[in-house]
Amino acid sequence: MASSLGTTERAHSGRRSERFALGFVLTVAPGALWIILFLLAPSILVIAMAFLSNGDYGSPHLPMTLDAFRRVLGFSVLGWSNGNLKTLWRSLVQSATAAVATILVAYPLAFFIVSRRSYLRPLLLLMVILPSWTNQVIRTYAWMELLAPDTSLSHLAQESGLIAPHMGLFPSDFAIFLGLIYNYLPYMVLPLYAAVEKLDWTIVEVGRDLYASGYRLFWHTVFPQTLPGLLAGIILVAIPAFGDFVVPQLLGGNKFLMLGNLIANQFTSTPDWPYGAALALVMLCFTFAGLFVFRRVARRLGRGEGQIL
Amino acid sequence: MNAIPRLAQAIGDGKDFAKPAAEIHDAQHGKVHLQDVSKVFADGTVAVDRVNLEVEPGEFFTLLGPSGCGKTTLLRIIAGFEDLNGGAIFISGRSMLGVPPHARNVNTVFQSYALFPQLNVAENIAFGLRMRGVKTVERRRRCQDMMVSMQIDVFAKRMPHQLSGGQRQRVALARALINEPEVVLLDEPLSALDAKLRQELQVELLRMQKRLGMTFIFVTHDQHEALVMSDRIAVMDKGLVRQMGRVDDVYERPRDVFVAEFLGLSNIFRVQSKQGADVSTSLGMLRLSHTPETLQHVMVRPEKVLLSSLEEKGRGINDFHGLVREVLYMGATSQYGLEIDGYPLVATISNTQNGRTRYRVGERLRVHIEPASIVGMGG
């Protein structure tokens, strides 16, 4: 009796756990498959490729070597050059300035939109987002037209002595800067708008009640509340801007390369896949390092809300 | 040990976080004067309609009224969060027109507490001192004293989201009081708490106010809270101050039906005709000891209605025969729903009096109302 009862119980629980296992596989499999196919596999490919030698047409070949990384550091048959360091530095500076500039534009914009009547707000948001629905290349070409030599903007810059005569505002670092802000502004405005919209204004009133005004009022009452949106915006802007290659390609005119162009070139015009893969790895490392530092800062700033990132 | 004596002791021990009233020489210090103050919102709603009031230094003044009566708007006007559409406002004798909130020596305790979520308890409390540039050492000392006197020093390093409602309330209060403002404004600060904690904090708040000698302006829709705490109250409705005065005066002698009904239970009868001190009402002829010029209603509080058995001798005037329709036992008192000639009358009788004070449903009894207990009112 006792043993047969035990068997039935075991059989029941066995069937239950089988059903559970099936459910588990069905629910987890799509996501896991996606991650394996489109994240892990390509990552492993890129990592492996970075350690291979360069073949005749830029395709990777055995034997394994660290040659690609030596060239990332600037060593080549012609000796050491600081070209890659300069490119890395330009990418870091451009993505940082793009993030700062979009913050400076997005904060007032978010407050402006939130302060409008409720039926106007989605419309105004749409106007911010709408340009990003057209192709980035086309929009960047439009900036080339606007900033080219002998355009009214360039004339204006010449008259004010900002640029030499007969030089356009494009190609230049400044043109890249403008292009990046223009491209990534919506990704700062949207999370910041969401944060400003649910701002607890009583907290702001408490700040005013307790003698804070001006920038101190902003810093102690508005800034901490909008911090999660701000952080999301910075990540959405700074990381893609760091790796952007369309904007520097078109608005930099090959003179002001960023890391993205350098990598893209290794797979297109002058093929060298292992070198390109090594550059991509370096970029990934910098992105993760940046995120790590960012997370530490965010935790310190937003300690009341638990974890922000 | 009971919480309240412990608190009283703690308040008595907190020595130097605020000046005693006697040290303040300026007789105007802490006085609030509103002159014909009006506020119309953008949508045309008249939130505050030509309100005049004077709050004396060191007074516990309550703005009482139903939601939407303009009491919170009035408080926000004093704090400086709302502009005036008309009138003038003086705090400690100085005009506050055009003075922004951060430049007013007035602090507010908000209904939602609104503690800064990114700052811990001590940092929250010290915020005002920090904004005023008080040096770190003094700021720490005053903050510590304040937390000790409010019994929240053990929470000093906690974040607001780790506190209970009552603890948050104390922090919000401490954050206002530490600045030693001329006036403390409180916007329904106890309404989010449960009944027992609310009663405790009422007593605590009141004792603290008396000890500090600061002017408190308190907004509430809770008549019990208003009765317990206030020196004077203003009963508001639809942006108007319906009646203002000492809390017992307003309770005993309401000016109109609204005030009478909002503040406590009342029996109100329409006046049909008047002959000297005798008025004719639905209840029958009633004699009043005092009749005002405009007399439209008479009111008697349930606890002023005297009940006795039919065998006892009547007093000749204001005597009725009643029937007990309903008895609500309320512990210390019982509330009787009576019927007199088909008209309802509510009487509240103490259950601890000597002699027979308990009546049963269906019992007939003698009802007497003293002429002095009847209040003649306007609309």
Side-chain angles (χ1 to χ4, degrees):
Chain A
M1 264 305 262
S3 76
S4 82
L5 202 77
T7 328
T8 352
E9 259 176 20
R10 228 174 296 142
H12 268 296
S13 72
R15 228 173 297 148
R16 216 180 304 144
S17 71
E18 262 170 45
R19 222 180 311 148
F20 175 75
L22 186 68
F24 183 78
V25 167
L26 278 179
T27 47
V28 170
L33 215 63
W34 180 276
I35 289 173
I36 290 167
L37 276 181
F38 297 113
L39 183 72
L40 287 181
S43 301
I44 289 165
L45 268 179
V46 168
I47 291 170
M49 205 183 287
F51 291 95
L52 292 175
S53 354
N54 189 15
D56 293 337
Y57 301 99
S59 50
H61 280 279
L62 284 170
M64 288 181 66
T65 167
L66 288 174
D67 191 48
F69 288 98
R70 272 187 46 225
R71 280 191 289 151
V72 168
L73 290 174
F75 298 101
S76 69
V77 280
L78 302 169
W80 188 78
S81 98
N82 64 358
N84 283 0
L85 275 183
K86 269 175 147 173
T87 306
L88 174 67
W89 178 246
R90 180 177 294 120
S91 300
L92 287 172
V93 169
Q94 283 286 12
S95 82
T97 48
V100 171
T102 48
I103 291 170
L104 293 180
V105 177
Y107 250 124
L109 196 57
F111 275 99
F112 173 77
I113 296 175
V114 167
S115 67
R116 296 303 99 185
R117 285 166 197 275
S118 57
Y119 65 87
L120 273 176
R121 286 182 220 157
L123 214 68
L124 289 166
L125 274 182
L126 191 70
M127 285 168 67
V128 174
I129 302 163
L130 205 60
S132 69
W133 290 353
T134 55
N135 189 293
Q136 193 193 8
V137 178
I138 295 170
R139 280 180 290 139
T140 311
Y141 266 105
W143 275 108
M144 287 165 71
E145 291 298 316
L146 282 171
L147 300 174
D150 291 326
T151 59
S152 39
L153 279 178
S154 287
H155 279 306
L156 201 71
Q158 271 175 36
E159 298 292 322
S160 6
L162 291 172
I163 54 171
H166 306 299
M167 295 285 286
L169 281 164
F170 141 81
S172 65
D173 268 328
F174 175 72
I176 299 175
F177 168 71
L178 270 186
L180 288 177
I181 296 176
Y182 174 72
N183 264 304
Y184 292 107
L185 185 65
Y187 306 103
M188 184 62 81
V189 173
L190 284 180
L192 213 48
Y193 169 82
V196 170
E197 194 187 29
K198 58 176 196 216
L199 200 70
D200 181 357
W201 286 98
T202 315
I203 294 277
V204 181
E205 287 189 342
V206 171
R208 296 172 74 198
D209 195 63
L210 294 168
Y211 322 114
S213 61
Y215 84 92
R216 288 203 302 177
L217 183 65
F218 177 84
W219 177 250
H220 290 292
T221 65
V222 175
F223 178 76
Q225 289 195 69
T226 50
L227 189 60
L230 191 67
L231 295 179
I234 290 174
I235 286 173
L236 288 177
V237 169
I239 292 174
F242 184 55
D244 195 286
F245 73 95
V246 171
V247 170
Q249 179 78 50
L250 297 179
L251 292 175
N254 261 337
K255 277 161 68 191
F256 304 94
L257 285 182
M258 278 170 58
L259 218 44
N261 308 109
L262 205 55
I263 295 170
N265 285 346
Q266 307 318 315
F267 293 92
T268 53
S269 50
T270 54
D272 188 343
W273 289 24
Y275 183 38
L279 282 169
L281 274 187
V282 168
M283 196 171 111
L284 204 62
C285 289
F286 267 92
T287 307
F288 276 122
L291 270 178
F292 178 75
V293 172
F294 193 62
R295 194 181 138 100
R296 297 292 290 264
V297 173
R299 271 186 172 176
R300 290 198 65 140
L301 285 173
R303 60 207 175 105
E305 304 285 345
Q307 278 188 341
I308 293 176
L309 281 167
Chain B
M1 205 166 146
N2 179 322
I4 292 165
R6 189 150 39 88
L7 285 171
Q9 196 188 347
I11 295 163
D13 288 345
K15 284 186 182 66
D16 50 359
F17 64 81
K19 294 185 200 100
E23 266 182 47
I24 298 158
H25 303 298
D26 188 354
Q28 295 262 47
H29 186 97
K31 184 173 171 141
V32 178
H33 184 188
L34 303 185
Q35 238 173 23
D36 283 325
V37 164
S38 292
K39 173 72 192 177
V40 185
F41 284 126
D43 63 355
T45 327
V46 181
V48 174
D49 193 2
R50 282 159 298 159
V51 165
N52 286 288
L53 55 88
E54 261 180 75
V55 181
E56 297 302 326
E59 195 171 33
F60 199 117
F61 190 90
T62 297
L63 297 167
L64 175 70
S67 61
C69 72
K71 57 191 191 299
T72 295
T73 307
L74 203 55
L75 200 76
R76 291 173 56 81
I77 286 171
I78 300 169
F81 297 131
E82 305 280 355
D83 294 330
L84 298 184
N85 293 101
I89 165 168
F90 301 89
I91 297 175
S92 300
R94 290 184 303 273
S95 169
M96 287 292 129
L97 285 184
V99 179
H102 64 85
R104 296 188 185 194
N105 196 9
V106 164
N107 290 118
T108 311
V109 179
F110 288 84
Q111 187 173 12
S112 58
Y113 316 140
L115 301 178
F116 298 114
Q118 78 277 16
L119 302 182
N120 68 28
V121 166
E123 289 165 335
N124 258 287
I125 294 172
F127 188 86
L129 297 180
R130 191 169 141 209
M131 289 300 113
R132 281 178 153 185
V134 174
K135 295 244 162 42
T136 315
V137 179
E138 191 192 339
R139 209 164 69 206
R140 285 224 182 98
R141 184 184 60 78
R142 281 169 70 176
C143 183
Q144 183 60 32
D145 290 350
M146 192 69 194
M147 289 191 294
V148 169
S149 77
M150 297 279 286
Q151 296 187 306
I152 45 177
D153 49 323
V154 287
F155 308 126
K157 293 277 179 280
R158 293 232 189 121
M159 302 307 289
H161 70 265
Q162 296 169 313
L163 302 178
S164 72
Q167 288 159 357
R168 282 181 209 192
Q169 212 287 327
R170 273 161 211 249
V171 176
L173 190 62
R175 186 174 62 175
L177 293 180
I178 198 170
N179 306 300
E180 298 174 15
E182 289 162 24
V183 183
V184 183
L185 307 173
L186 304 107
D187 185 8
E188 308 214 17
L190 307 176
S191 64
L193 305 173
D194 63 72
K196 191 173 182 306
L197 189 58
R198 186 157 68 221
Q199 280 186 346
E200 270 177 37
L201 281 171
Q202 280 172 7
V203 176
E204 184 181 342
L205 197 60
L206 194 57
R207 291 193 177 154
M208 184 164 292
Q209 188 264 339
K210 292 287 173 262
R211 204 195 84 71
L212 299 176
M214 287 186 200
T215 310
F216 274 41
I217 300 182
F218 189 89
V219 158
T220 185
H221 64 268
D222 182 335
Q223 44 144 324
H224 292 293
E225 209 161 85
L227 290 172
V228 170
M229 306 187 73
S230 326
D231 294 320
R232 286 196 307 147
I233 65 171
V235 181
M236 291 187 69
D237 181 40
K238 299 190 184 88
L240 295 164
V241 171
R242 299 297 282 261
Q243 189 170 358
M244 176 162 48
R246 283 171 43 115
V247 64
D248 46 352
D249 280 347
V250 176
Y251 179 81
E252 306 268 344
R253 280 180 287 284
R255 188 182 293 159
D256 57 28
V257 174
F258 177 83
V259 175
E261 286 187 332
F262 198 80
L263 207 60
L265 281 173
S266 51
N267 296 294
I268 296 170
F269 303 101
R270 176 169 280 283
V271 172
Q272 285 149 353
S273 63
K274 175 180 154 189
Q275 271 189 322
D278 292 322
V279 295
S280 160
T281 69
S282 49
L283 200 65
M285 289 300 285
L286 281 172
R287 176 165 298 170
L288 278 64
S289 60
H290 172 77
T291 54
E293 302 247 320
T294 52
L295 182 65
Q296 285 170 302
H297 294 89
V298 291
M299 191 275 309
V300 58
R301 293 289 183 193
E303 68 274 14
K304 298 281 169 72
V305 177
L306 301 175
L307 305 182
S308 54
S309 61
L310 284 174
E311 296 95 65
E312 278 175 48
K313 222 178 114 220
R315 275 165 252 211
I317 49 156
N318 297 355
D319 259 348
F320 307 93
H321 284 206
L323 171 68
V324 179
R325 280 287 187 203
E326 185 183 55
V327 180
L328 299 177
Y329 178 72
M330 302 170 90
T333 58
S334 286
Q335 187 178 307
Y336 291 86
L338 307 172
E339 191 184 301
I340 296 168
D341 294 338
Y343 287 94
L345 184 79
V346 178
T348 306
I349 308 293
S350 166
N351 287 336
T352 57
Q353 284 176 5
N354 293 326
R356 188 179 170 216
T357 55
R358 307 282 295 268
Y359 302 94
R360 289 183 305 278
V361 173
E363 203 169 334
R364 297 199 163 271
L365 38 72
R366 191 180 292 281
V367 179
H368 177 71
I369 305 167
E370 287 290 323
S373 302
I374 303 172
V375 181
M377 306 187 300

